[in-house]
Amino acid sequence: MMAYTYSAILFFTVIICFIASYDKRIHFNRHFGVFLKSAIIVAIPFIAWDIWFTAKGVWWFNTDYTLGIVLAGLPIEEWLFFICIPFSCIFTYFCFEKFFRLEWLSGFNNLIVFISVIVCSVMALLHYDKIYTLITAIATLTTLIYLHFIVRAEWIGKASLVFTVLMLGFLPVNGVLTGTGLDSPIVNYNSRDFLGVRILTIPIEDAVYGYTQFLLVLYFFKLFKKNIMVIENRILVTACSVVLFTYLNSCASIPKGAGGVKNFEIDRYLGNWYEIARFDFRFEKDLDNVSAQYSLNEDGHVMVFNSGYNYKKGKWEKAISLAKFRGNKDIAELKVSFFGPIYSGYNVIALDENYRYAMVAGKNLKYLWILSRTKDIPDEIKTSFLNSAQRIGYDTSILIWLKHDRTNNPFQKEE
């Protein structure tokens, strides 16, 4: 039953509102399509944000409380969160607007926006080193400025009152997600990335995050509902493609036949590797004397510190990437990212028994690397690797064989 915890939270959050939607006094069911379009459009950047922060270790999920279905690093329940929670929020606002006269609250719009903009600006300036605080403050600041000064939304006061009421549901729902009543939290946070101020177990940033998401979904809901602006279907398709692209990148494809070595031991693979040969591509263009240092971070993922000498610019360059196993950790099949949620394949397809020489396959037949613990490689290992690569389909004649004639790499710890 423990694995159903997160899905049960979503179910009980949405079920009463869903049933009540069919009440003849409400008929919110007539607006399901409008709501779904609104929620999906807002979900696009929020899911990308979620994927990015999960990849960076700003937060992470205890999958003991989930069904175990993971897409782009997020449990399936986290994807559904961006539909279920907004549904209950928009339904509640719809009912408030239907049964109560709240137009008088528009008189508080200026005050609410003024105070919120000041607070968010101060928080962003004072805590720019805390990424969750910073991004949340910027998102809220941008949303309120857009709604108040550009589209001149008259309902910010009403929405703020409804969100205050919704906090009565927010506290138990997010409370359980962040550990209230559980042995351990479903959602865990890196203490270095947020203020550390909590409402019960809930980071204060979560409440501001939820307020911003609510405002944006409500904006699009009203926009579509009143037919003020027609959004062509291709925009929705494009938006969905962004998430699909992110997901497909996270799958990190690999050429057929380039499976990772079995019985892989990541601890033995850590340390310094010299790049002996590669297929040239733009991120390593004009680089020689390339090396990479592998280490484990606090989350157990592999950090890769790459450096090389750009012989055209006459200077050393560096890049840091994050690698994660795509499946079992005893199979050398990983995905690596230099840019947040965008991952590419990384399979160690050949490795000697002493972990001295390795051959790595990338996402297609245009990416191949030969690595060594030293600055050269024995002829017999070289021949074996080249034969293996050719059998898979690599054109080894276009490999670039690197020079290692410099000893002044400022980024490398010599071994």
Side-chain angles (χ1 to χ4, degrees), residues 387-398:
N387 289 339
S388 296
Q390 290 165 5
R391 284 194 294 271
I392 294 171
Y394 290 98
D395 180 4
T396 58
S397 66
I398 61 174

Side-chain angles (χ1 to χ4, degrees), residues 47 50-51 54 61 63 68-80 243-244 246-248 250-251 335:
I47 288 175
D50 205 343
I51 293 172
T54 302
F61 302 90
T63 53
I69 303 171
V70 177
L71 302 176
L74 304 181
I76 187 65
E77 294 89 345
E78 184 72 2
W79 290 72
L80 294 174
V243 170
L244 181 61
T246 302
Y247 169 62
L248 291 177
S250 74
C251 294
K335 56 182 181 180

Side-chain angles (χ1 to χ4, degrees), residues 339-402:
F339 309 105
I342 308 301
Y343 284 86
S344 184
Y346 180 107
N347 277 16
V348 182
I349 59 175
L351 183 66
D352 75 300
E353 61 181 10
N354 295 317
Y355 285 67
R356 300 286 298 170
Y357 313 103
M359 184 163 61
V360 176
K363 65 180 182 179
N364 57 43
L365 293 174
K366 295 180 180 179
Y367 297 88
L368 186 70
W369 295 266
I370 294 177
L371 310 177
S372 172
R373 296 290 191 180
T374 58
K375 296 181 179 180
D376 52 24
I377 188 170
D379 288 340
E380 62 271 20
I381 299 292
K382 174 181 175 180
T383 300
S384 174
F385 282 2
L386 293 178
N387 289 339
S388 296
Q390 290 165 5
R391 284 194 294 271
I392 294 171
Y394 290 98
D395 180 4
T396 58
S397 66
I398 61 174
L399 278 169
I400 294 175
W401 297 88
L402 276 67

Side-chain angles (χ1 to χ4, degrees), residues 271-323:
N272 193 64
W273 288 92
Y274 293 96
E275 188 175 284
I276 303 300
R278 70 167 184 266
F279 286 164
D280 208 15
F281 67 106
R282 63 190 181 96
F283 292 118
E284 285 191 275
K285 189 171 180 59
D286 302 327
L287 294 183
D288 59 19
N289 290 274
V290 175
S291 62
Q293 298 167 40
Y294 292 73
S295 61
L296 292 181
N297 65 11
E298 295 177 353
D299 299 325
H301 301 315
V302 181
M303 297 298 298
V304 188
F305 191 99
N306 307 274
S307 59
Y309 185 77
N310 190 312
Y311 53 83
K312 287 193 174 180
K313 295 181 180 179
K315 66 176 184 179
W316 290 95
E317 297 181 352
K318 66 177 181 178
I320 300 175
S321 57
L322 176 71

